[in-house]
Amino acid sequence: MPATALTARALLLDMDGTLVNSDAVVERCWRRWALRNGLDPEEALKVVHGRQGYATMAVLLPERPMEQNYADNKVMLAEETADTDGVVPIGGAPAFMDAIAALPHALVTSADLALATARMGAAGLRMPDLRVTAESVGASKPDPEGFLKGAAALGFAPEDCVVFEDSEAGIAAGRAAGMRVLGVGPRAGAHSPDAHVADLTQLRVEAAADGAITLHVQAR
């Protein structure tokens, strides 16, 4: 049975699918890309979540030179940054971000800074002071680099951090970093996170004077 409470000293937050619902934009852009490259859009959409674009392209077109994936990724990022139609906060995200404002936390996202800024802004969410974006890492999730960098920047050991994630790649990255994972949304439930919520309205944050943070999962 998944845990109904997790205790941490720092929180590492994915963005897409975790704080921001950007599925409409992601699906529009990736459907176009899949069709341009002779791929089945439905099959492509099964692997796009959680990774940087170039890494997704490498999974879908394993024989293609990485230079072409990097070039396509730049185009994809520009398209996604310009398209914020339908970008909304995940349920409970505004109140959750308010609740953790004074607690150690960082954004760890596969988006670059421009895309992260556009989507957090479109969703009306506060951008954390500390963020690990695509420019900050050499490897995409499921590699743990981003979460390890986030923990180090906050000054906490991996075992003191809880990762918030929605995707298979993100959950794998959190686990590889030696952190516990709170899964958010329907995609996360299939990958056995340490605790799981349908959205952030199911979460209550309790902060103790000694710096301990308890994340209580509320039953519906």
Side-chain angles (χ1 to χ4, degrees):
M1 190 75 177
T4 54
L6 294 175
T7 302
R9 303 191 79 80
L11 309 177
L12 301 175
L13 316 173
D14 175 53
M15 181 182 70
D16 291 300
T18 302
L19 299 175
V20 172
N21 183 343
S22 56
D23 282 0
V25 179
V26 170
E27 292 190 6
R28 278 196 296 273
C29 292
W30 279 98
R31 281 180 192 280
R32 288 196 299 266
W33 181 87
L35 290 170
R36 285 198 300 267
N37 287 277
L39 298 173
D40 179 350
E42 297 308 318
E43 290 302 309
L45 289 175
K46 292 178 182 178
V47 298
V48 302
H49 297 288
R51 295 178 176 87
Q52 291 190 42
Y54 73 84
T56 295
M57 293 168 191
V59 170
L60 292 168
L61 295 172
E63 303 304 318
R64 193 166 81 151
M66 280 303 293
E67 291 76 12
Q68 194 169 346
N69 295 335
Y70 288 127
D72 267 16
N73 190 44
K74 287 183 180 178
V75 174
M76 176 71 74
L77 284 169
E79 288 181 5
E80 289 188 291
T81 302
D83 184 357
T84 56
D85 187 28
V87 173
V88 294
I90 293 290
F96 169 73
M97 293 301 288
D98 288 345
I100 67 167
L103 304 179
H105 67 282
L107 191 72
V108 182
T109 175
S110 293
D112 66 5
L113 182 58
L115 180 56
T117 302
R119 286 191 177 159
M120 292 290 280
L125 297 176
R126 171 185 59 81
M127 175 68 87
D129 291 336
L130 181 61
R131 50 258 183 173
V132 180
T133 58
E135 301 96 330
S136 312
V137 297
S140 170
K141 300 172 186 176
D143 190 282
E145 181 186 359
F147 288 126
L148 292 171
K149 282 195 168 182
L154 289 170
F156 291 93
E159 60 267 26
D160 289 328
C161 299
V162 167
V163 164
F164 284 61
E165 266 289 357
D166 73 301
S167 70
E168 180 180 11
I171 291 170
R175 285 218 179 91
M179 303 173 184
R180 286 152 300 139
V181 181
L182 190 145
V184 180
R187 284 189 290 268
H191 304 293
S192 303
D194 296 284
H196 180 245
V197 294
D199 63 26
L200 295 169
T201 63
Q202 274 191 279
L203 198 64
R204 180 172 64 84
V205 180
E206 179 186 359
D210 66 356
I213 304 166
T214 304
L215 306 167
H216 298 277
V217 175
Q218 309 293 295
R220 281 190 170 168

